[in-house]
Amino acid sequence: MDTLPLVSPEQVGLSAARLARVSQWMKDWVDSGRLPGMVTCVMRKGELAFAEAYGKADVERNKAVRPDTIFRIYSMTKPLTSTAIMMLYEEGRFQLDDPISRFLPAFKSMRVFAGGSRGKIESVPAEREITFRDLLTHTSGLTYGFMESNPVDALYRAKDGVDFQTAETSLAEVVDKLATFPLIAQPGKAWNYSVSTDVLGRLVEVIAGEPFEKYLVEKVIRPLGMVDTDFHVPKEKHGRFAANYSATPEGKLSLLDDPAKSRYLKPRKVNSGGGGLVSTAADYLRFCKFMLNKGELDGVRLLGRKTVELMTMNHLNGDMADMGTPRFSESTYYGIGFGLGFSVMIDPAKAHIVGTPGEYAWGGAASTAFWCDPMEDMAVVLLTQLMPSSTYPIRRELRVLAYQAIVD
């Protein structure tokens, strides 16, 4: 990593011998042909104690993955968009329980799915309006088209549906179209992973009075010194962009997005606050450090300490299992809550995984992940490119390997 020199793991209470298990684990996954390549970093007490790149960024061209390889981070975009909207919250522009229809009138009178099929969907009026807090916690009643478990998901997937990743119109048009579809649950009643953060991107645009991508890059990404994070890969960096893969039924790699032909190579009209960014391990570590520092990095403060504390508390009524149907998640449902933009660990025993109450995390569709643990003053970033993220249990395995290395 260019931004943080490596220190001896023992200096920060980690065991070098135990961290070597992470190296072996990376090697096993890549050498078996199941993952193309990966970058893994472990930071503790503000120092980088482990950073390794192994395997290929582009298997077809035989290009090695490097510390500065650029990856599609998909839903790891969400914490950055959440940071942007919370910066506007700190300016007093809105309250968390304000209805979003204050800024997006199309969401004024939403309806909620009550049965039927795509041909004839029955719906009832929403009992209350969607609030900012609902969007930040994924309790808005919105969904994702790739869920495929509800007739409303099918509306998103239809030819005239909504897809923030591929739309060529404008963020305003896609969000207004979204408001014409019924919700899959009453606002505030259930946890459903969704395009909520994409709607937050549109709210940033409306409230700030400038394009969402401009605000995010100029007010969040660049001030944090995240030099390679953006909604597209500029020409001079094309050679550093990784290929994206899916797994075949036999556990081999199938090319999904060729970095030489990818739509990420040029700017686009619709930028997804829920999943549109590319980034590097060094850049995302800077974001983690900013969060662990409670809103400040290298003399630049974007959020107040109390705001970061609020964002990283559990805002659900119980855990995700109490409020969600396990249709999909970047984390387990038991013992894990959700804050304003992150999953939040409530109870490691209930989650059946080593960890710390209060740690916050998320991952992306191409099997990327990060987590920050304030109590241990630790952050871990994992970048690879394999879709979907549910293919292999690499996140859970890495959690065990990272935590077992703590020896102080």
Side-chain angles (χ1 to χ4, degrees):
M1 302 300 112
D2 336 314
T3 53
L4 287 170
L6 274 170
V7 299
S8 150
E10 278 71 17
Q11 262 179 260
V12 291
L14 296 167
S15 156
R18 284 177 163 264
L19 278 173
R21 292 173 177 173
V22 179
S23 309
Q24 186 57 48
W25 170 81
M26 292 170 69
K27 201 168 178 311
D28 291 346
W29 272 105
V30 173
D31 290 352
S32 69
R34 291 173 294 174
L35 289 178
M38 56 209 299
V39 178
T40 308
C41 304
V42 180
M43 182 174 75
R44 193 153 190 240
K45 299 175 183 173
E47 304 283 359
L48 193 60
F50 180 92
E52 283 188 13
Y54 186 79
K56 301 281 183 258
D58 186 332
V59 176
E60 288 69 25
R61 294 178 180 85
N62 197 30
K63 280 170 74 169
V65 67
R66 303 188 333 201
D68 67 349
T69 293
I70 296 170
F71 296 84
R72 300 157 196 75
I73 62 168
Y74 289 110
S75 288
M76 280 166 60
T77 304
K78 288 178 170 72
L80 288 151
T81 301
S82 302
T83 298
I85 197 77
M86 293 306 287
M87 286 165 64
L88 294 166
Y89 168 74
E90 286 194 332
E91 290 176 16
R93 307 286 196 101
F94 64 89
Q95 293 300 308
L96 292 176
D97 54 3
D98 280 354
I100 62 169
S101 64
R102 234 187 93 187
F103 302 96
L104 302 176
F107 287 89
K108 181 76 184 157
S109 304
M110 297 299 288
R111 295 189 69 82
V112 179
F113 172 72
S117 64
R118 191 180 145 198
K120 178 98 179 67
I121 285 181
E122 293 158 27
S123 65
V124 295
E127 291 162 9
R128 67 162 175 78
E129 290 198 45
I130 297 170
T131 66
F132 282 84
R133 185 172 169 274
D134 294 331
L135 293 177
L136 282 156
T137 57
H138 292 282
T139 57
S140 62
L142 295 167
T143 183
Y144 259 127
F146 62 75
M147 297 295 194
E148 301 194 22
S149 61
N150 184 296
V152 179
D153 307 339
L155 291 178
Y156 284 43
R157 285 195 303 279
K159 199 160 76 74
D160 59 347
V162 290
D163 185 346
F164 288 90
Q165 293 290 325
T166 57
E168 289 290 333
T169 51
S170 69
L171 193 51
E173 276 186 55
V174 183
V175 170
D176 279 351
K177 172 83 190 203
L178 181 67
T180 66
F181 296 152
L183 303 173
I184 65 166
Q186 289 288 349
K189 289 287 167 69
W191 191 89
N192 285 296
Y193 198 39
S194 73
V195 295
S196 286
T197 319
D198 290 287
V199 179
L200 286 172
R202 172 65 182 145
L203 283 160
V204 167
E205 196 166 80
V206 173
I207 296 166
E210 59 181 291
F212 163 60
E213 67 278 9
K214 185 171 188 280
Y215 185 93
L216 193 71
V217 171
E218 292 180 6
K219 303 289 201 304
V220 181
I221 291 169
R222 294 297 170 259
L224 290 180
M226 298 172 73
V227 293
D228 291 319
T229 303
D230 210 329
F231 288 101
H232 76 287
V233 182
K235 196 162 185 197
E236 66 276 12
K237 297 178 185 178
H238 284 185
R240 290 163 51 197
F241 189 37
N244 195 10
Y245 297 89
S246 62
T248 67
E250 304 75 46
K252 299 278 184 272
L253 297 170
S254 170
L255 183 64
L256 200 59
D257 188 31
D258 183 337
K261 303 174 187 161
S262 176
R263 60 191 166 81
Y264 283 92
L265 299 181
K266 56 183 195 303
R268 51 188 124 161
K269 293 191 180 78
V270 177
N271 292 283
S272 166
L277 290 174
V278 295
S279 190
T280 60
D283 273 12
Y284 217 87
L285 275 172
R286 288 190 67 79
F287 177 70
C288 292
K289 204 170 180 185
F290 154 78
M291 288 299 298
L292 286 169
N293 287 349
K294 300 284 177 76
E296 181 271 336
L297 182 65
D298 296 342
V300 175
R301 179 167 289 284
L302 300 184
L303 289 170
R305 174 172 67 83
K306 297 300 290 182
T307 305
V308 172
E309 287 169 2
L310 182 68
M311 290 172 76
T312 54
M313 288 172 186
N314 177 33
H315 285 248
L316 302 184
N317 182 15
D319 62 17
M320 284 201 258
D322 294 323
M323 285 194 72
T325 335
R327 303 194 310 152
F328 165 85
S329 174
E330 298 293 357
S331 104
T332 70
Y333 272 73
Y334 296 95
I336 313 270
F338 211 85
L340 305 178
F342 311 83
S343 63
V344 179
M345 174 68 83
I346 306 169
D347 182 348
K350 204 174 168 191
H352 296 258
I353 191 83
V354 63
T356 314
E359 75 183 46
Y360 46 95
W362 207 236
S367 304
T368 59
F370 83 96
W371 75 90
C372 295
D373 185 331
M375 209 178 284
E376 293 292 349
D377 195 3
M378 181 166 165
V380 177
V381 172
L382 164 68
L383 297 179
T384 184
Q385 300 280 254
L386 182 81
M387 294 181 80
S389 60
S390 55
T391 311
Y392 302 122
I394 57 173
R395 294 166 177 169
R396 291 174 73 75
E397 292 179 359
L398 181 59
R399 290 178 64 81
V400 176
L401 291 163
Y403 277 121
Q404 62 86 34
I406 298 176
V407 290
D408 63 2

